[in-house]
Amino acid sequence: MRVLKSETDYISSMFEDYFRLSEAAVSPLMSDAEIEEALNELHPKSFPCIGYFVSTASGCIYDVNYISKDMLSEWVVELNIR
């Protein structure tokens, strides 16, 4: 789970956590076009947000989920957090 404040945070998170490429120059499993397509498809609607990964049933792939600033604000009110 990470706070994503910008596009840079998003891309870093995807490469470090989602693609597991933080120590590799290229992915042996994905082409550059496939990586770019995934980044566009999995992109959050807006920043800032909280991004987190959930393992799928197979355990090999992760779903990417986001909690928006608006959603977090609603929860703060519902939970009476000051």
Side-chain angles (χ1 to χ4, degrees), residues 23-35:
E23 297 178 15
V26 295
S27 168
L29 302 176
M30 296 176 77
S31 69
D32 289 347
E34 289 171 321
I35 290 171

Side-chain angles (χ1 to χ4, degrees), residues 5-69:
K5 296 179 183 178
S6 66
E7 185 75 18
T8 302
D9 289 347
Y10 166 68
I11 292 171
S12 294
S13 173
M14 292 301 286
F15 277 92
E16 291 170 12
D17 300 325
Y18 187 78
F19 294 126
R20 304 278 190 236
L21 292 177
S22 59
E23 297 178 15
V26 295
S27 168
L29 302 176
M30 296 176 77
S31 69
D32 289 347
E34 289 171 321
I35 290 171
E36 186 174 338
E37 182 179 328
L39 286 173
N40 289 330
E41 181 180 316
L42 300 171
H43 199 280
K45 292 181 183 176
S46 63
F47 297 103
C49 64
I50 297 172
Y52 64 98
F53 306 110
V54 177
S55 165
T56 61
S58 70
C60 297
I61 299 174
Y62 291 87
D63 288 329
V64 182
N65 296 294
Y66 301 101
I67 300 170
S68 68
K69 185 177 179 180

